[in-house]
Amino acid sequence: MGTADQTYNPANYSAANHCHVAVPPPQPFVKSLTNTLKETLFPDDPFRQFKNQPPGKRFLLGFRYLFPILEWGPKYTLGLFKADLIAGITIASLAIPQGISYAKLANLPPILGLYSSFVPPLIYTVMGSSRDLAVGTIAVGSLLTGSMLSNVVDPTDEPNLYLHLAFTATFIAGVFEATLGIFRLGFIVDFLSHATIVGFMGGAATVVCLQQLKGIFGLDHFTHATDIISVMRSVFTQVHKWRWESAVLGCSFLFYLQLTRYFSKKRAKLFWISAMAPLTSVILGSLLVYFTHAEKHGIQVIGELKKGINPASLMDINFDSKYLAGTIKTGIVTGIIALAEGIAVGRSFAMLKNYNIDGNKEMIAFGMMNIAGSCTSCYLTAGPFSRSAVNVNAGCRTAVSNIVMSFAVMITLLFLTPLFFYTPLVVLSSIIIAAMLGLIDYEAAIHLWHVDKFDFVVCMSAYIGVVFANIEIGLILAIGLSIMRVLLFVARPRTLVLGNIPNTKVYRNVDQYQNASSVPGILILEIDSPIYFANSNYLRERISRWIDDEEDKLKSSGETALQYVVLDMSAVGNIDTSGISMLEEVKKIVDRRNLQLALVNPGAEVMKKLNKSKFLETIGQEWIFLTVGEAVGACNYMLHSCNSKIVNNEYEKYSDYA
Amino acid sequence: MGTADQTYNPANYSAANHCHVAVPPPQPFVKSLTNTLKETLFPDDPFRQFKNQPPGKRFLLGFRYLFPILEWGPKYTLGLFKADLIAGITIASLAIPQGISYAKLANLPPILGLYSSFVPPLIYTVMGSSRDLAVGTIAVGSLLTGSMLSNVVDPTDEPNLYLHLAFTATFIAGVFEATLGIFRLGFIVDFLSHATIVGFMGGAATVVCLQQLKGIFGLDHFTHATDIISVMRSVFTQVHKWRWESAVLGCSFLFYLQLTRYFSKKRAKLFWISAMAPLTSVILGSLLVYFTHAEKHGIQVIGELKKGINPASLMDINFDSKYLAGTIKTGIVTGIIALAEGIAVGRSFAMLKNYNIDGNKEMIAFGMMNIAGSCTSCYLTAGPFSRSAVNVNAGCRTAVSNIVMSFAVMITLLFLTPLFFYTPLVVLSSIIIAAMLGLIDYEAAIHLWHVDKFDFVVCMSAYIGVVFANIEIGLILAIGLSIMRVLLFVARPRTLVLGNIPNTKVYRNVDQYQNASSVPGILILEIDSPIYFANSNYLRERISRWIDDEEDKLKSSGETALQYVVLDMSAVGNIDTSGISMLEEVKKIVDRRNLQLALVNPGAEVMKKLNKSKFLETIGQEWIFLTVGEAVGACNYMLHSCNSKIVNNEYEKYSDYA
């Protein structure tokens, strides 16, 4: 279309009024690629502090970046140490029974739980940036390791091989975590949404509780499956093997643990009652068994734990191709779950205490911790929520509380392991159940239901998937649904009809603003998302339906016929080649109906592409406006000053297409 | 924060000026769910015509909707028939040699290609809504069927079983296509972007050409793999078996076919030369062999074709669990590829001739066509581009040209099959190569490079994946990359700094508009995408970095200190619970720095969720504005009229958090 006919040229109108939508200056490809990569991978600009520094200083800063202890270590004081000492001892008292319990969840020897609370915390103290995280094994990670590795090798038939594969999976998890951190791919963890985590954690906690029925009822044989149906069948087909002594003991300790939690919740100052409860349970249970010789009457006990600190296990790491696929899968899945929990815990306490955590740096720390752990007889560790919360409540100030805990565990390993000989397994089950009940966050699920139904569906599908099928299916379901939601948002963007808000030049969605009124003869649509291949077909159909509807409505009411279609592109962040074809087709549709198309406020990226693809020439630069108000102004100006001319002119144009 | 201190309350400012951002009226859950589902699955509102109609009429309309022939059939005239007759005969002359050639691509008996051009076109005429589509087998679909089914069963060892599995795969493809259509899931096809299709089609065409080297060089043994390296190895390790007679014949016919295309391209009226060229090649080739007895000198011929129309094959469909997984996979992949090609072809011709095609209805037609085909000895059919283009060029007016073609093929099947005995295979190879060269759309690839680099990468990865690995890998690569791009867009939305455009109340991105100037003391940010779990962490960090940067900049330049952070939410189409937590955290960050947060123009969906999650109460309704201009106005009003008061008040608030 030419601009020859001066009378209908909106340039006449707008030149006198406002500035035009600019095509951004062309950027070299390499520069725009660098910018995009930088925004994608370094949104927090970690190199900022290195700018304008001499090389020596840069090296020092880089070293400090990797080892935050160099930053806070020199400023460490005795006052801080006092606080950390108390917190460290408190978490050690929790770490010892929890470590032993969780190792059993992973089908590993109990002593591994203690090993895993010795080396990894030391590594984290040096490399981690959280001041509140208490390092140790995590329930869900242990359960996942157990259920996934059991599919590779049977832990009862080949306990040694199984142990070695657990080290291998831990090694792989560590390498994977560190790699994610080094390549700044931390955002992968972001794809586990809050809703997914609530549902998944709740489901995993339920599954872990169900597994404990084995310990509570003192059963010898139990299903390897984790779903509720298999577990229930396993429990109720063995009713004749239930041990009432075990059940009574288990229930009493569970009651005790829940009671202490209740008191702690009522008074924050009494948190230590709940924090110490697991250790006191272990001590009480052990004493009970020791004095009553209950181990001879059907109460299973831990038995002998080897004295001494972690043996080296570097040589045990097994890359046998027969098991490699299974261990890699276990490593990656457990690694990412450990990251998700650890980083979420670190972030929430950092938010509470007002300091920053660099997710990618944390990943490197977690990765190194697990790599080192896999060489020193530890299995997967992260920052468990329960232990970290106790750490914070006990008043920790820096990561030194982890060193204290580590030291306490070392002493236990060196001297105190014989004391656990008589510890009944059922007490460990009670400790696990008590910890797990706290992870089922039904209040969060209710909140999701109130605020966002779709998030609730995601949450529940994760929960149901984990409980009724298995952990991986639950996870895949929830992540799949979350991603589907993002894709659906892009595939089905909303197109909103805008109307004028009285006495302003502002145009807003008529559904949201009841007082917004439409402009006669002009249809104003807002597109609510980037225009991509996934939505270009939809948008074309939807826009032509809007035009149909509007024409029908105007025809039946006898108002001014439709003359202009204005597309507000403010919210269109980007466009691809399919999207541009869509716009070309919309232009044809609009032309064919004898209407005029105008665009409003396309962003820099969109303008660039419209220009490159010559669509700017097709539509004419003068039909692109800065605001909806200007577009409507120009349209009205033409509607009133030269209405008949436009129609004629449009008919002429139409004859080209017919 | 209360509104007790009237002096700093922006309500004072804005109440006098403008209307407020409305919280949309609550909608019952079921209604909003219905609306969402309707927009997602019925964007074209197919039930529109049924509204306000009596039940009898509704039934008739529904019947017509399913069988469009009822709509255009009664209006059919002799004039239309004349045009359709010519077009039908023209496409039949193309269909017969192409059918035979493509069947060989699928490792199926050549006669199946003819069968497949008899029944499916009849079904499509009755159910299809395109007037221009010519139905038949498609090259890429045939190749995919061949390569995927060969992995299930060897076509030379067990030809009968292979044939039956091909019918089964066709049946499954048909059921899958019809299901997608019935459940209105047509948008799944949209996830094959234009760039993906260009790269994939080009790659598939290259692979098909490479496969023809077998025919051109008259080789007996050939690799089953489709990648370029295997094929080249297969060709060049058998140099001693090359038949020069075959190669000469093949190259001459290829030259002839390309020459006719060249002439047809030069003059649109000569299109029939190119359309008839395959048939004349077949006739010439057959005559040549017949008179020279070349079949005894190394030229392979088709040999005997069974006379008679399609035998029934319903009983041959084989759901043996041994092969079921393979056939289901083949059926689904080929079905979706067939849909993508058929619908794209139908749409582009409909766009050209200005009528509408309902993608979901087309899917049902394609599905029924393949289901019927699988019961009558046909394999996968769709709307091949080459045949449809010839149909349009030959002046077809309705789908009756398909009936004519079908009739011509029937006569061939009944009487003329013996004529193909001497047709040399090498001629078929030439025909395929000539058709495939037209599918390698390098111009489109160059266009992609110019307009959108990422689309070019997607296109090339599809091409390279198909050519160097295999068809499925190419497809998965391209779709994966396309989806990753959508996810990355959502995971890394842009945050833009807005500035005031001089002499207006308009605020725009300062990078795009060089003349936009920032407002002292106020940082205005626009968020460019919905706020979802995938980007909430990123956005929090990015926003706090913007604030840091701005404060640093102002500090070093000694200008007014930063006092307000305004977030323009116009482009935020939706928010989930993770996004709301993000906003809460940003509010805390902003409070902690002693600044004030204001939101601008949140959409209906966002307002609803902000309200439900009580964030509206946290931020205060008076800090939500309709336009950036109003927000800046209110901020400026307070900056100038009661600057000291605000600071004091903010300090008081801060003390609550400290």
Side-chain angles (χ1 to χ4, degrees):
Chain A
M1 49 166 291
T3 52
D5 188 345
Q6 286 293 320
T7 34
Y8 85 97
N9 188 341
N12 288 355
Y13 168 83
S14 55
N17 289 266
H18 289 306
C19 84
H20 255 305
V21 176
V23 179
Q27 248 186 344
F29 174 57
V30 175
K31 198 180 159 197
S32 77
L33 184 74
T34 321
N35 273 349
T36 312
L37 280 180
K38 204 185 146 201
E39 270 304 314
T40 308
L41 302 177
F42 301 98
D44 50 348
D45 198 7
F47 300 128
R48 209 179 178 189
Q49 47 179 337
F50 298 119
K51 264 181 211 158
N52 311 322
Q53 299 283 359
K57 179 91 179 170
R58 270 191 202 189
F59 180 78
L60 203 74
L61 282 172
F63 212 68
R64 255 200 211 165
Y65 174 80
L66 266 185
F67 302 102
I69 197 173
L70 297 177
E71 208 164 325
W72 55 264
K75 302 176 217 152
Y76 199 70
T77 61
L78 196 67
L80 291 175
F81 181 68
K82 268 185 202 162
D84 287 336
L85 183 69
I86 295 170
I89 290 172
T90 316
I91 52 175
S93 80
L94 184 68
I96 295 164
Q98 262 195 1
I100 296 174
S101 323
Y102 290 173
K104 288 207 70 80
L105 267 185
N107 302 323
L108 288 167
I111 191 84
L112 249 79
L114 296 184
Y115 290 161
S116 302
S117 290
F118 172 44
V119 175
L122 296 177
I123 308 280
Y124 185 81
T125 312
V126 177
M127 298 190 71
S129 49
S130 168
R131 301 174 200 157
D132 304 301
L133 204 76
V135 171
T137 54
I138 50 175
V140 178
S142 305
L143 180 73
L144 258 175
T145 305
S147 75
M148 291 180 78
L149 273 191
S150 297
N151 291 334
V152 183
V153 156
D154 192 298
T156 41
D157 289 357
E158 301 186 79
N160 257 324
L161 180 60
Y162 182 85
L163 181 67
H164 295 175
L165 292 186
F167 293 148
T168 316
T170 306
F171 179 78
I172 291 167
V175 170
F176 177 66
E177 291 173 342
T179 313
L180 282 188
I182 291 167
F183 289 101
R184 317 274 320 166
L185 298 172
F187 64 85
I188 287 177
V189 174
D190 291 345
F191 279 96
L192 294 171
S193 68
H194 177 63
T196 311
I197 289 178
V198 168
F200 176 75
M201 285 289 172
T206 310
V207 165
V208 171
C209 285
L210 289 174
Q211 292 286 318
Q212 301 318 311
L213 293 178
K214 181 191 177 197
I216 295 284
F217 289 116
L219 298 172
D220 287 324
H221 298 286
F222 207 68
T223 175
H224 276 303
T226 58
D227 64 296
I228 189 166
I229 293 161
S230 307
V231 171
M232 282 303 160
R233 191 185 297 140
S234 193
V235 170
F236 285 98
T237 51
Q238 303 188 67
V239 176
H240 55 285
K241 291 186 185 161
W242 288 7
R243 308 262 181 158
W244 67 265
E245 307 90 336
S246 179
V248 167
L249 204 60
C251 292
S252 337
F253 278 109
L254 187 57
F255 178 74
Y256 165 67
L257 288 162
Q258 288 300 92
L259 200 70
T260 57
R261 166 169 306 170
Y262 174 77
F263 280 116
S264 303
K265 267 199 178 166
K266 270 206 141 175
R267 292 213 187 176
K269 284 205 172 170
L270 295 180
F271 79 92
W272 56 269
I273 296 188
S274 154
M276 291 290 182
L279 192 64
T280 48
S281 302
V282 166
I283 294 171
L284 278 176
S286 307
L287 288 177
L288 197 74
V289 171
Y290 182 75
F291 286 115
T292 61
H293 294 286
E295 81 275 14
K296 290 173 190 153
H297 301 90
I299 300 284
Q300 295 165 318
V301 294
I302 292 183
E304 204 178 323
L305 289 182
K306 224 174 74 188
K307 255 190 191 178
I309 59 164
N310 306 18
S313 62
L314 177 60
M315 302 313 296
D316 295 339
I317 291 178
N318 181 334
F319 289 119
D320 191 335
S321 62
K322 206 165 135 195
Y323 315 112
L324 198 59
T327 43
I328 286 182
K329 199 175 138 198
T330 311
I332 289 180
V333 172
T334 54
I336 208 156
I337 292 295
L339 276 188
E341 178 164 357
I343 290 177
V345 168
R347 267 202 188 123
S348 45
F349 287 117
M351 187 59 66
L352 207 75
K353 291 202 180 173
N354 190 15
Y355 62 91
N356 259 330
I357 275 196
D358 177 342
N360 287 303
K361 200 159 78 178
E362 279 293 282
M363 288 188 189
I364 300 177
F366 276 60
M368 296 315 291
M369 173 171 112
N370 278 318
I371 293 173
S374 68
C375 304
T376 53
S377 300
C378 306
Y379 77 105
L380 189 80
T381 45
F385 178 75
S386 52
R387 206 182 289 188
S388 305
V390 168
N391 197 21
V392 172
N393 274 326
C396 71
R397 302 287 293 276
T398 69
V400 170
S401 64
N402 275 312
I403 300 185
V404 175
M405 170 182 77
S406 177
F407 197 73
V409 170
M410 186 186 75
I411 290 176
T412 311
L413 279 170
L414 286 176
F415 310 110
L416 308 180
T417 46
L419 297 183
F420 294 105
F421 187 94
Y422 288 103
T423 306
L425 292 184
V426 64
V427 171
L428 299 183
S429 293
S430 306
I431 293 173
I432 296 182
I433 293 181
M436 290 302 108
L437 289 179
L439 282 183
I440 303 178
D441 194 354
Y442 58 92
E443 283 170 1
I446 294 171
H447 179 74
L448 290 177
W449 167 257
H450 282 304
V451 176
D452 192 324
K453 303 284 186 284
F454 196 98
D455 269 358
F456 179 75
V457 170
V458 166
C459 171
M460 285 319 289
S461 49
Y463 184 85
I464 289 170
V466 169
V467 172
F468 285 88
N470 65 48
I471 295 189
E472 289 153 271
I473 289 183
L475 202 57
I476 291 171
L477 251 180
I479 295 181
L481 272 176
S482 303
I483 288 183
M484 210 189 74
R485 179 198 207 174
V486 172
L487 291 179
L488 251 180
F489 170 84
V490 177
R492 289 287 181 268
R494 274 170 317 146
T495 41
L496 309 169
V497 176
L498 305 189
N500 183 227
I501 294 199
N503 309 320
T504 66
K505 281 190 175 178
V506 178
Y507 291 78
R508 288 286 181 268
N509 177 10
V510 291
D511 290 334
Q512 189 181 0
Y513 297 87
Q514 309 289 333
N515 59 342
S517 60
S518 60
V519 188
I522 306 173
L523 174 65
I524 313 167
L525 292 174
E526 182 185 335
I527 299 169
D528 221 12
S529 92
I531 306 180
Y532 277 156
F533 61 94
N535 61 23
S536 56
N537 277 322
Y538 165 78
L539 279 176
R540 193 193 49 237
E541 299 203 349
R542 197 67 187 82
I543 291 172
S544 62
R545 204 177 114 211
W546 276 121
I547 299 175
D548 284 345
D549 286 353
E550 185 73 10
E551 287 197 325
D552 286 358
K553 207 177 73 187
L554 293 180
K555 224 175 267 171
S556 65
S557 68
E559 284 180 71
T560 331
L562 190 61
Q563 301 258 2
Y564 296 94
V565 177
V566 176
L567 291 185
D568 183 357
M569 316 264 286
S570 307
V572 177
N574 208 335
I575 194 167
D576 70 355
T577 47
S578 305
I580 293 172
S581 311
M582 187 281 281
L583 283 183
E584 281 163 0
E585 286 163 10
V586 165
K587 170 86 178 117
K588 278 187 203 162
I589 292 172
V590 166
D591 282 344
R592 221 182 277 132
R593 285 159 186 263
N594 201 10
L595 307 170
Q596 175 64 47
L597 184 70
L599 299 186
V600 170
N601 190 27
E605 202 59 34
V606 176
M607 272 308 268
K608 212 159 55 186
K609 287 190 187 151
L610 291 185
N611 186 29
K612 277 187 193 159
S613 65
K614 316 276 179 220
F615 182 72
L616 267 196
E617 293 170 22
T618 316
I619 191 175
Q621 171 100 46
E622 68 275 15
W623 287 104
I624 298 185
F625 299 91
L626 192 64
T627 65
V628 176
E630 278 179 37
V632 170
C635 294
N636 269 333
Y637 170 81
M638 283 172 283
L639 264 180
H640 296 124
S641 69
C642 47
N643 208 341
S644 59
K645 276 217 177 179
I646 294 172
V647 174
N648 285 340
N649 196 288
E650 295 282 344
Y651 268 118
E652 278 165 45
K653 279 200 316 184
Y654 179 57
S655 59
D656 292 341
Y657 289 95
Chain B
M1 49 165 292
T3 51
D5 187 346
Q6 287 292 320
T7 33
Y8 86 98
N9 189 344
N12 289 353
Y13 167 83
S14 54
N17 289 267
H18 291 303
C19 84
H20 254 306
V21 176
V23 179
Q27 250 186 343
F29 174 56
V30 176
K31 197 179 159 200
S32 77
L33 185 72
T34 321
N35 274 349
T36 312
L37 280 181
K38 205 184 144 204
E39 272 303 314
T40 308
L41 302 178
F42 301 97
D44 50 349
D45 199 6
F47 300 128
R48 207 178 179 193
Q49 47 178 335
F50 299 117
K51 262 179 210 158
N52 311 320
Q53 300 284 359
K57 178 91 179 168
R58 269 190 202 191
F59 181 77
L60 202 74
L61 283 173
F63 213 67
R64 257 201 211 162
Y65 173 80
L66 265 185
F67 301 103
I69 196 172
L70 297 176
E71 206 164 325
W72 55 265
K75 301 178 217 148
Y76 199 69
T77 62
L78 196 68
L80 291 175
F81 181 66
K82 270 185 200 159
D84 286 336
L85 184 69
I86 294 170
I89 291 172
T90 316
I91 52 175
S93 80
L94 184 69
I96 295 163
Q98 262 196 1
I100 296 175
S101 323
Y102 289 172
K104 287 207 72 79
L105 266 185
N107 302 324
L108 289 167
I111 192 82
L112 249 79
L114 297 182
Y115 291 160
S116 302
S117 290
F118 173 44
V119 175
L122 295 178
I123 309 279
Y124 186 79
T125 313
V126 177
M127 299 190 70
S129 50
S130 168
R131 301 174 200 156
D132 304 301
L133 204 76
V135 171
T137 53
I138 49 173
V140 178
S142 304
L143 180 74
L144 259 175
T145 306
S147 75
M148 291 180 77
L149 273 190
S150 297
N151 291 335
V152 183
V153 156
D154 193 296
T156 42
D157 288 358
E158 301 188 76
N160 258 325
L161 179 60
Y162 182 85
L163 181 66
H164 296 174
L165 293 187
F167 295 146
T168 316
T170 307
F171 180 78
I172 291 166
V175 170
F176 177 66
E177 291 174 340
T179 312
L180 283 189
I182 291 166
F183 288 103
R184 317 275 320 165
L185 298 172
F187 63 85
I188 287 176
V189 174
D190 292 345
F191 279 97
L192 294 171
S193 68
H194 177 62
T196 312
I197 289 179
V198 167
F200 177 73
M201 285 289 172
T206 310
V207 165
V208 172
C209 286
L210 290 174
Q211 292 285 316
Q212 299 319 309
L213 293 178
K214 182 192 177 194
I216 295 283
F217 289 116
L219 297 173
D220 287 323
H221 298 288
F222 207 70
T223 174
H224 276 303
T226 58
D227 64 295
I228 190 164
I229 292 160
S230 308
V231 171
M232 283 301 160
R233 190 183 296 139
S234 194
V235 169
F236 285 99
T237 50
Q238 304 187 66
V239 176
H240 54 286
K241 290 186 186 163
W242 288 6
R243 308 263 183 160
W244 66 266
E245 307 90 336
S246 179
V248 167
L249 205 62
C251 291
S252 337
F253 278 109
L254 186 57
F255 180 72
Y256 166 67
L257 289 162
Q258 288 299 94
L259 200 70
T260 58
R261 165 170 305 167
Y262 174 76
F263 280 115
S264 304
K265 266 199 178 164
K266 270 208 141 175
R267 291 211 187 179
K269 283 204 172 168
L270 296 180
F271 80 91
W272 56 269
I273 296 188
S274 154
M276 289 291 181
L279 191 63
T280 49
S281 303
V282 166
I283 295 172
L284 278 177
S286 307
L287 288 176
L288 196 75
V289 171
Y290 182 74
F291 286 114
T292 60
H293 294 287
E295 82 274 15
K296 289 172 189 155
H297 300 92
I299 300 287
Q300 295 165 320
V301 295
I302 292 183
E304 206 179 321
L305 290 181
K306 224 174 76 186
K307 256 190 193 179
I309 57 164
N310 306 20
S313 63
L314 177 60
M315 301 313 296
D316 293 341
I317 290 177
N318 181 334
F319 289 119
D320 190 335
S321 62
K322 206 165 136 196
Y323 315 112
L324 198 60
T327 44
I328 287 182
K329 199 175 138 200
T330 311
I332 289 181
V333 172
T334 56
I336 208 156
I337 292 295
L339 276 188
E341 178 164 356
I343 290 177
V345 168
R347 265 201 189 126
S348 44
F349 288 117
M351 188 57 68
L352 208 73
K353 291 200 180 176
N354 189 16
Y355 63 91
N356 259 328
I357 275 197
D358 177 340
N360 287 303
K361 202 161 76 180
E362 281 292 284
M363 288 188 189
I364 300 178
F366 275 58
M368 296 315 291
M369 174 170 109
N370 278 319
I371 293 173
S374 68
C375 303
T376 54
S377 300
C378 306
Y379 77 102
L380 188 79
T381 46
F385 178 75
S386 51
R387 207 181 288 190
S388 305
V390 167
N391 197 21
V392 172
N393 275 326
C396 73
R397 302 288 293 276
T398 69
V400 169
S401 62
N402 275 312
I403 300 187
V404 174
M405 171 181 77
S406 175
F407 198 71
V409 170
M410 186 186 77
I411 290 176
T412 311
L413 280 170
L414 287 175
F415 309 111
L416 308 180
T417 46
L419 297 182
F420 293 105
F421 187 93
Y422 288 104
T423 306
L425 293 184
V426 64
V427 171
L428 299 183
S429 293
S430 306
I431 294 173
I432 296 181
I433 293 181
M436 289 302 108
L437 290 179
L439 283 182
I440 303 178
D441 195 354
Y442 57 92
E443 283 170 0
I446 294 171
H447 179 74
L448 290 177
W449 167 258
H450 282 304
V451 176
D452 192 323
K453 303 282 187 287
F454 195 97
D455 269 359
F456 179 76
V457 170
V458 167
C459 171
M460 286 319 291
S461 49
Y463 184 85
I464 289 170
V466 170
V467 173
F468 284 88
N470 66 47
I471 295 190
E472 289 153 272
I473 289 183
L475 202 58
I476 291 170
L477 251 179
I479 297 181
L481 272 176
S482 304
I483 289 182
M484 211 190 75
R485 179 198 205 173
V486 172
L487 291 179
L488 251 180
F489 170 85
V490 177
R492 288 289 180 268
R494 275 170 317 147
T495 40
L496 308 169
V497 177
L498 304 187
N500 184 226
I501 294 198
N503 309 321
T504 67
K505 280 189 174 177
V506 178
Y507 291 77
R508 289 287 181 267
N509 177 8
V510 290
D511 290 331
Q512 189 182 0
Y513 297 87
Q514 308 291 334
N515 60 344
S517 60
S518 60
V519 188
I522 305 172
L523 174 65
I524 312 167
L525 291 175
E526 182 186 334
I527 299 170
D528 219 13
S529 94
I531 305 179
Y532 277 156
F533 61 95
N535 60 24
S536 54
N537 277 323
Y538 165 76
L539 279 175
R540 192 194 51 237
E541 299 203 348
R542 197 65 187 83
I543 292 172
S544 64
R545 204 177 114 210
W546 277 122
I547 300 175
D548 283 345
D549 285 352
E550 185 73 9
E551 287 196 324
D552 286 357
K553 207 178 73 187
L554 293 180
K555 222 174 269 170
S556 64
S557 70
E559 285 179 71
T560 332
L562 191 62
Q563 300 258 1
Y564 296 94
V565 177
V566 176
L567 291 185
D568 183 357
M569 314 264 287
S570 305
V572 178
N574 209 336
I575 194 166
D576 70 354
T577 45
S578 305
I580 293 173
S581 312
M582 186 281 281
L583 283 183
E584 281 163 0
E585 286 163 10
V586 166
K587 171 84 177 119
K588 276 187 203 162
I589 291 172
V590 167
D591 282 344
R592 219 182 279 132
R593 284 158 185 262
N594 201 11
L595 307 171
Q596 175 65 46
L597 183 69
L599 299 186
V600 170
N601 190 27
E605 203 59 35
V606 177
M607 273 308 270
K608 211 157 59 185
K609 287 188 187 153
L610 291 185
N611 186 28
K612 276 186 193 159
S613 64
K614 315 276 181 224
F615 183 70
L616 268 195
E617 293 171 22
T618 316
I619 190 175
Q621 173 101 45
E622 69 276 14
W623 286 104
I624 298 186
F625 298 91
L626 192 62
T627 65
V628 177
E630 278 179 38
V632 171
C635 294
N636 269 333
Y637 171 82
M638 282 172 287
L639 264 180
H640 297 125
S641 70
C642 48
N643 208 338
S644 59
K645 274 214 174 179
I646 294 172
V647 174
N648 284 340
N649 196 290
E650 294 284 343
Y651 268 117
E652 276 166 47
K653 278 199 318 184
Y654 179 60
S655 59
D656 292 340
Y657 288 93

